[in-house]
Amino acid sequence: MASLHPSEIGEFLREQRRNAQLSLRQLADAAGVSNPYLSQIERGLRKPSAEILQQLAKALRISAETLYVRAGMLEERERDEVEVTAAILADPSITEQQKQALLQIYASFRAHNDADGRNVTGPEGRTAGAEGGVGTTDTAT
């Protein structure tokens, strides 16, 4: 996938920072980057590395994968998985431990369906074959 223009990831980061009600300086401090560097990223003058995106994602409490997709570092076809992961990580009503448990279960279901060749999107965007049992991973309720 071709990389997007740096201003697109910068605009997205600015939006996420504002949604988190953080100043530029607060986010820079939390992510361990300089204030001027973060400003340049937000204005589209610099393209951040995957490592910087990961630091920013952690500081914003969002999925690093979401930022990777926005920056053009991950394939578009992975977006559904990224959105599910981002939704789980963004949910303030569950604990970090619960989030990690959900992500592990989700990953195991996807891996199982991929192995069985059932990870095919149906007409309504649902995954075909995902309604049935899942073998040994079906013990979680």
Side-chain angles (χ1 to χ4, degrees):
M1 172 180 226
S3 293
L4 302 177
H5 193 273
S7 65
E8 294 180 39
I9 186 63
E11 290 169 13
F12 181 75
L13 283 168
R14 181 180 296 121
E15 179 183 318
Q16 294 302 308
R17 177 177 58 79
R18 288 179 177 161
N19 288 342
Q21 299 180 340
L22 294 171
S23 70
L24 190 72
R25 186 175 310 275
Q26 288 171 320
L27 178 56
D29 288 344
V33 299
S34 74
N35 192 38
Y37 181 62
L38 180 56
S39 176
Q40 290 174 349
I41 292 170
E42 284 193 0
R43 291 182 288 139
L45 302 175
R46 296 269 190 163
K47 183 178 178 184
S49 67
E51 181 179 333
I52 296 297
L53 288 175
Q54 184 174 24
Q55 291 170 225
L56 290 167
K58 184 176 181 181
L60 288 166
R61 297 182 55 88
I62 62 174
S63 161
E65 289 83 5
T66 299
L67 294 183
Y68 296 156
V69 168
R70 291 287 183 151
M73 295 176 177
L74 281 180
E75 294 292 326
E76 187 70 24
R77 64 181 167 77
E78 298 169 357
R79 180 165 279 196
D80 289 342
E81 181 178 355
V82 169
E83 289 175 354
V84 169
T85 301
I88 291 170
L89 292 173
D91 189 334
S93 67
I94 59 177
T95 68
E96 291 300 317
Q97 186 178 9
Q98 291 167 333
K99 290 175 185 181
Q100 292 306 311
L102 281 172
L103 291 173
Q104 289 173 353
I105 292 166
Y106 178 65
S108 71
F109 285 162
R110 286 187 59 90
H112 179 80
N113 289 345
D114 283 345
D116 286 351
R118 294 189 297 179
N119 204 9
V120 179
T121 303
E124 293 179 285
R126 295 188 183 117
T127 303
E131 299 84 22
V134 290
T136 59
T137 60
D138 198 29
T139 57
T141 55

